[in-house]
Amino acid sequence: TVLPAEPEIMGSDKTKVYDGQPAALDEVWLKGVEDMPAPAGEVRYEYFMDAACTQPVPGSGGSSIVDTGGVGNADGAGGLAGTGVTDAGKYYCRVTALPNTGNYREVSEIYNVTVEKAPAAISLRVTAIDKNQADNIVTIHGKLQGVFDNPTGTVKILMRKSAKDGQKTEEYRTAAEDILVTEMNGAYGFTAKVHVGPDGVYDFKAEYAEGDKKNYKVYPGELTEIDMNKLPQHIDFDTHLMQMPYGSDAFGIQVNEAEAPGSGAVTYRLMEHMGTQGAVTVTSEGTVEILDVGTAFVMAVKRGDDSYNGAVSVLCIRVTKAPVTLSIEDKTVVYDGKPQSIQASPVPFFTPVT
């Protein structure tokens, strides 16, 4: 009795950051018995919410046809893994090999597919201060950077009196809440009117709460030292999301100061404890140097002066993996009945500096 052999499914887990596009398992390979052709047939991909594979992900999955490979530990390509999954979360992809020959039997493997939340930050600006001796009203506009579809969440505005030199900082208190994030001219943001109280200098913070979709890790936005007796001004990056491949040369960033008549200087800094630590460095003048793959947030700060409050704007920089091509040389041999091989060498996008 000759029993069918068990083919080996060769693949790996997949992790990506949410970008609004489906995340599918990378292609798998089927490996057969040594010195025999690799199995051909169908490879089926099914995505599930649970490790037991009892809760399918709606609208995901698919199958592909595997061509027969060569001999001697040769592999057969398994194709791309269907439509994949989109929203942030941890999923399980069951890969099933269905050989079209009786020499191999059906076999399955389960791989993890993880879609991480996309980092984003809230950029705040004061658009108006309605003066009233008993109750000043501040209009705050916020914008969410680096998002790919409607965040569907809400925002809470917190405030406190700014600490004077040598004084203890007050705790933040809720000033407005349940503010819906909506689409505004192709971006997503919100507007809130905050009852501040009497004249003084205040700090504001905006915190995001997730809605139905939980695809974003949104860092709070802050405004500090907003004086009720000064005028608002505004600075803004032309784009709030920049994608650069790893290995790119250093580059400069600059905010638009058309709505910032104050005399204060603009400086740039990384927002600490946000995004990927060590992905980039930035000088106070706005020169960015890429160090690693990841996400970084850069804040532009225009200092206030005697007449105008300070202003801030936030830029999200995503450093993506550098593209790599393969270099292959032609090879000519005399037929001897044995398998032949060729060598491929990767050609990186840039030459690393050591």
Side-chain angles (χ1 to χ4, degrees):
T1 302
V2 180
L3 299 176
E6 181 176 297
E8 181 181 356
I9 299 177
M10 305 177 66
S12 60
D13 296 337
K14 177 72 173 284
T15 298
K16 67 171 288 187
V17 177
Y18 174 76
D19 61 2
Q21 301 299 315
L25 199 71
D26 291 333
E27 68 174 8
V28 301
W29 296 76
L30 300 184
K31 187 172 184 178
V33 177
E34 187 173 359
D35 296 328
M36 294 296 292
E42 179 185 357
V43 175
R44 182 179 300 155
Y45 304 89
E46 301 167 285
Y47 293 87
F48 297 88
M49 304 289 293
D50 61 320
C53 298
T54 61
Q55 303 176 45
V57 177
S60 65
S63 63
S64 60
I65 303 302
V66 183
D67 294 328
T68 301
V71 297
N73 289 322
D75 303 326
L80 295 178
T83 56
V85 292
T86 302
D87 289 335
K90 184 174 182 179
Y91 304 91
Y92 303 87
C93 180
R94 183 170 64 194
V95 181
T96 303
L98 303 169
N100 60 5
T101 172
N103 292 329
Y104 292 97
R105 68 181 184 85
E106 179 181 323
V107 66
S108 295
E109 290 284 350
I110 297 176
Y111 296 95
N112 296 329
V113 177
T114 303
V115 181
E116 298 177 344
K117 293 183 179 182
I122 300 174
S123 185
L124 295 178
R125 61 177 289 197
V126 172
T127 58
I129 299 177
D130 296 327
K131 294 286 294 176
N132 186 305
Q133 187 173 2
D135 185 13
N136 293 297
I137 300 175
V138 176
T139 302
I140 296 177
H141 175 71
K143 188 181 293 184
L144 274 70
Q145 283 78 32
V147 297
F148 301 94
D149 57 12
N150 193 342
T152 73
T154 59
V155 171
K156 176 170 63 175
I157 303 293
L158 305 138
M159 61 169 289
R160 69 183 179 190
K161 272 198 169 184
S162 290
K164 296 181 180 179
D165 293 341
Q167 291 187 348
K168 183 180 179 180
T169 303
E170 291 183 358
E171 295 294 327
Y172 277 102
R173 61 179 176 83
T174 300
E177 54 187 339
D178 297 330
I179 305 163
L180 289 176
V181 174
T182 58
E183 184 175 0
M184 297 180 175
N185 299 322
Y188 296 97
F190 58 90
T191 299
K193 291 187 177 295
V194 180
H195 293 262
V196 172
D199 286 348
V201 182
Y202 297 87
D203 301 332
F204 299 92
K205 180 188 290 188
E207 294 181 346
Y208 176 81
E210 294 177 311
D212 295 335
K213 290 190 174 183
K214 305 182 186 303
N215 291 323
Y216 306 100
K217 181 179 181 181
V218 181
Y219 295 93
E222 294 187 5
L223 287 172
T224 59
E225 299 182 359
I226 302 300
D227 192 329
M228 296 300 101
N229 291 314
K230 293 184 180 181
L231 297 171
Q233 59 180 338
H234 176 53
I235 60 176
D236 203 8
F237 286 102
D238 291 334
T239 178
H240 290 274
L241 173 61
M242 179 180 292
Q243 295 197 111
M244 299 291 291
Y246 176 70
S248 298
D249 293 335
F251 58 93
I253 55 176
Q254 188 174 18
V255 290
N256 187 330
E257 297 182 65
E259 299 179 55
S263 61
V266 174
T267 57
Y268 301 84
R269 64 176 177 84
L270 280 177
M271 300 180 72
E272 297 180 357
H273 311 300
M274 295 175 58
T276 307
Q277 299 301 307
V280 307
T281 62
V282 60
T283 66
S284 59
E285 295 80 18
T287 299
V288 178
E289 183 178 359
I290 292 175
L291 302 179
D292 202 356
V293 172
T295 302
F297 294 92
V298 177
M299 176 182 285
V301 181
K302 184 176 178 68
R303 293 184 61 84
D305 57 22
D306 292 341
S307 301
Y308 292 91
N309 282 304
V312 301
S313 187
V314 178
L315 170 66
C316 174
I317 301 175
R318 285 202 176 92
V319 183
T320 58
K321 293 182 179 180
V324 176
T325 57
L326 294 178
S327 174
I328 303 176
E329 295 184 358
D330 294 337
K331 182 178 181 180
T332 302
V333 298
V334 176
Y335 175 74
D336 60 4
K338 298 178 181 180
Q340 302 296 325
S341 64
I342 58 174
Q343 297 295 323
S345 301
V347 179
F349 175 68
F350 77 113
T351 302
V353 178
T354 57

